[in-house]
Amino acid sequence: MSSDACVLLVDGENIDWALSNLLGHKPEPAQRPRWDRLVHYAETRTGSDCRALFFVNATTGVAQPFINALRHMGFMPVMLINDLGPETKVVDYAIERTLEALRERRASDVLLASHARDFYDALADLDDGRQLTVVGFPELMASQFH
């Protein structure tokens, strides 16, 4: 990835939670986001190619067709197994570590698809002139992001 590329991080668990909250039930396939459109949005917003990472808690397994679909849409699925203990949100942990690592990539613009306030400090640490964007539903977004 070149230094001027953007990085899109998707907190799949959080987006699923948000949709469930808004719909009042677990989303059906037709109600889920068009993830390829999110990649297109990220590239259009930043004006550069985008490295798209989709974080998945694979502790209890994940449907292979879903992973294949993500790859087809340009995502790199980040499959995570929770061996840190039941109290650890493995997806949040991995996204926080990724945001910390991005501090070293001076020119990487960052887009985060999540509503979780857990990422606010790590994103604030990246506020050094690069473009930072949080994508989600405004009514469920953590107040720190407004």
Side-chain angles (χ1 to χ4, degrees):
M1 175 171 58
S2 68
S3 62
D4 60 344
C6 77
V7 179
L8 168 62
L9 310 174
V10 175
D11 180 352
E13 287 182 332
N14 183 271
I15 298 300
D16 201 53
W17 163 84
L19 280 171
S20 295
N21 230 308
L22 291 172
L23 297 170
H25 60 84
K26 187 167 178 66
E28 300 294 327
Q31 296 172 314
R32 294 195 181 277
R34 303 297 182 254
W35 297 114
D36 55 331
R37 292 182 185 170
L38 184 57
V39 175
H40 177 74
Y41 169 78
E43 292 178 341
T44 300
R45 181 159 177 82
T46 63
S48 64
D49 289 336
C50 196
R51 172 73 143 211
L53 305 175
F54 196 107
F55 294 80
V56 179
N57 184 344
T59 303
T60 60
V62 177
Q64 192 60 42
F66 175 65
I67 298 305
N68 292 340
L70 287 173
R71 287 187 178 123
H72 180 73
M73 291 182 274
F75 280 92
M76 176 191 296
V78 180
M79 308 295 285
L80 303 162
I81 303 295
N82 188 356
D83 59 0
L84 300 172
E87 69 284 346
T88 301
K89 296 190 282 183
V90 68
V91 168
D92 290 9
Y93 180 81
I95 291 174
E96 287 174 13
R97 298 297 81 74
T98 302
L99 290 169
E100 290 170 6
L102 286 171
R103 276 186 273 185
E104 304 305 315
R105 293 184 179 262
R106 291 191 33 204
S108 295
D109 293 326
V110 177
L111 290 91
L112 172 65
S114 181
H115 303 84
R117 92 150 237 42
D118 299 344
F119 306 122
Y120 179 79
D121 292 336
L123 275 174
D125 288 345
L126 294 173
D127 193 9
D128 58 2
R130 70 183 93 203
Q131 187 173 343
L132 301 174
T133 305
V134 179
V135 179
F137 301 102
E139 60 270 38
L140 295 175
M141 193 64 64
S143 61
Q144 291 82 351
F145 293 126
H146 286 284

